[in-house]
Amino acid sequence: MKHFTRLSDVKKPQKLLKNALKLKQDPLASQKLGKNKTILLLFFNPSLRTRISSEKAALNLGMSCIVYDASQGWKLEFEQGAVMNIDRAEHIREAAGVISQYADIIGIRTFPSLTDREKDYADAILYQFQEYASVPIVSLESATRHPLQSLADWMTIEEFRKKKKKPKVVLSWAPHPKALPQAVSNSFLEWMKVADVDLMVTNPEGYDLSPEFTAGIPIEHDQRKAFEGADFIYTKNWSSFEQYGQRLEVPEDWTITPDKMKLTDKAYFMHCLPVRRNVVVADKVIDSKRSLVLHQANNRTYAAQAVMQEILKSL
Ligand code: AN0
Ligand code: CP
């Protein structure tokens, strides 16, 4: 594997999953692999889990890790041929080229603008880094996808699924006071398509995700109906794709409550975090024994470690 920005970068996803689960049993098994190697994590947007779990993964592999808060640094220019006489002090071409000389792998977190759909969905910042850097690029959540999260979520589902039943996995929209990206949800669908599960999405009218990600997956606009018989409820808020980046009026209550969870087949509750309690999910659900949120967050380390391990082997 050269880069890790989306599922299609991974030749054998099942093997990557297996490696992540194996690393979890013995996280320090490959401590020599990363010796004298450096990963640089570049954050254009905030993070708690991704930042710490990725650093921990790098340390487990014996790598050095540099974290750079790019929101505090020079404003970068991404347009080709730009006359840089306003506020952007440095072009992506130099920035990516320079960082490539300091690091063997670059991780990048960059959220969408939520104003320009075409630009966001081209994931221009991430892929320009890929173009102008000379080392592998790992997505730490881009405008369209969050593959490290999806791999950790897949690990979690594998660990908790009943052995003899193909689980029904429901991705459910939930309310949120702010307009959020679609990346986590897009990516979850992308990865669940290669997992052995029955997948369904439920969201209010107007909130259907991009057809690029929902193709072949049933979309149910009645949340209660979708929850019937579910084994995993994966919850996430996202802003509208159709009315791009907007928060639309939703008359019904979409918060995940104990009542709704009773419609499921004793489903586990999942969320990538950070989560707004009693807006996205009721305390009683997230605090219940069926909540896997901390387990998911723990798996982020081993997902990142499996990805870094595969990239290090290819250097
Ligand atoms: C971000 C999002 O929805 O993409 C990060 C989630 C991992 N969430 C927030 O900004 C609350
Ligand atoms: N789930 C996740 O990626 O969390 P952070 O935004 O805190 O990294």
Side-chain angles (χ1 to χ4, degrees), residues 17 36 47 68 100 109 113 153 175 208 217 230 235 243 262 306:
L17 171 79
N36 299 329
S47 165
Y68 178 69
S100 300
R109 164 160 291 198
S113 66
D153 295 337
D208 288 4
I217 302 167
T235 309
Q243 288 173 255
K262 278 198 192 109

Side-chain angles (χ1 to χ4, degrees), residues 109 111 141 146 176 180-181 184 236 272-274:
R109 164 160 291 198
F111 284 173
E141 186 176 351
H146 195 356
H176 199 281
L180 294 189
V184 170
K236 181 74 183 77
C272 66
L273 305 180

Side-chain angles (χ1 to χ4, degrees), residues 27-236:
L28 302 179
S30 306
Q31 270 231 310
K32 291 203 181 106
L33 188 66
K35 193 164 182 273
N36 299 329
K37 297 278 190 266
T38 301
I39 187 167
L40 194 141
L41 310 177
L42 204 58
F43 285 89
F44 288 95
N45 305 94
S47 165
L48 189 151
R49 278 143 292 274
T50 306
R51 181 178 163 161
I52 302 171
S53 63
S54 300
E55 182 159 354
K56 172 106 179 160
L59 296 178
N60 282 352
L61 289 167
M63 252 198 293
S64 314
C65 178
I66 301 170
V67 179
Y68 178 69
D69 179 356
S71 69
Q72 302 292 315
W74 303 117
K75 261 198 178 172
L76 295 187
E77 176 62 67
F78 292 93
E79 297 300 326
Q80 300 308 320
V83 178
M84 292 170 55
N85 63 355
I86 310 177
D87 60 334
R88 294 169 187 263
E90 180 150 16
H91 201 277
I92 173 72
R93 284 177 174 246
E94 283 75 50
V98 166
I99 297 167
S100 300
Q101 300 177 97
Y102 304 149
D104 302 282
I105 305 174
I106 304 173
I108 296 166
R109 164 160 291 198
T110 172
F111 284 173
S113 66
L114 294 182
T115 54
D116 185 334
R117 184 165 100 176
E118 208 178 311
K119 231 178 181 173
D120 284 350
Y121 270 71
D123 237 326
I125 296 183
L126 182 71
Y127 290 116
Q128 285 199 60
F129 266 102
Q130 193 167 304
E131 189 173 350
Y132 298 118
S134 53
V135 299
I137 299 291
V138 173
S139 166
L140 306 174
E141 186 176 351
S142 75
T144 57
R145 293 172 174 84
H146 195 356
L148 285 175
Q149 181 67 50
S150 308
L151 179 56
D153 295 337
W154 189 12
M155 288 173 72
T156 309
I157 289 172
E158 283 306 308
E159 290 173 302
F160 284 87
R161 66 189 290 169
K162 292 187 195 114
K163 294 290 164 265
K164 283 186 186 146
K165 185 188 172 201
K166 192 170 178 172
K168 178 177 173 183
V169 176
V170 179
L171 168 64
S172 178
W173 185 92
H176 199 281
K178 289 175 83 174
L180 294 189
Q182 294 124 23
V184 170
S185 314
N186 288 342
S187 207
F188 183 70
L189 296 181
E190 184 165 273
W191 285 73
M192 280 298 109
K193 280 186 195 165
V194 296
D196 180 29
V197 303
D198 277 328
L199 188 56
M200 181 182 271
V201 191
T202 184
N203 55 256
E205 306 263 359
Y207 276 103
D208 288 4
L209 291 161
S210 160
E212 180 188 349
F213 295 95
T214 55
I217 302 167
I219 302 174
E220 173 58 66
H221 292 137
D222 180 340
Q223 191 188 34
R224 289 179 174 270
K225 209 162 146 199
F227 274 36
E228 282 168 17
D231 299 289
F232 293 89
I233 299 294
Y234 191 98
T235 309
K236 181 74 183 77

Side-chain angles (χ1 to χ4, degrees), residues 194-291:
V194 296
D196 180 29
V197 303
D198 277 328
L199 188 56
M200 181 182 271
V201 191
T202 184
N203 55 256
E205 306 263 359
Y207 276 103
D208 288 4
L209 291 161
S210 160
E212 180 188 349
F213 295 95
T214 55
I217 302 167
I219 302 174
E220 173 58 66
H221 292 137
D222 180 340
Q223 191 188 34
R224 289 179 174 270
K225 209 162 146 199
F227 274 36
E228 282 168 17
D231 299 289
F232 293 89
I233 299 294
Y234 191 98
T235 309
K236 181 74 183 77
N237 170 269
W238 59 87
S239 56
S240 175
F241 176 76
E242 292 163 36
Q243 288 173 255
Y244 190 65
Q246 302 294 304
R247 286 178 70 246
L248 314 174
E249 197 66 38
V250 178
E252 313 89 42
D253 176 20
W254 279 75
T255 302
I256 312 299
T257 58
D259 249 25
K260 289 179 194 168
M261 292 302 283
K262 278 198 192 109
L263 302 167
T264 68
D265 188 5
K266 297 201 186 86
Y268 288 104
F269 171 79
M270 295 178 73
H271 191 284
C272 66
L273 305 180
V275 73
R276 301 274 185 138
R277 282 173 171 260
N278 301 310
V279 179
V280 170
V281 56
D283 281 343
K284 273 214 166 117
V285 175
I286 194 170
D287 293 332
S288 78
K289 287 208 173 84
R290 307 301 279 181
S291 170

Side-chain angles (χ1 to χ4, degrees), residues 16-27 29 155 302:
L16 185 65
L17 171 79
K18 238 174 115 187
N19 284 346
L21 290 165
K22 200 171 146 204
L23 278 165
K24 189 173 179 178
Q25 300 312 313
D26 190 3
M155 288 173 72
Y302 312 109

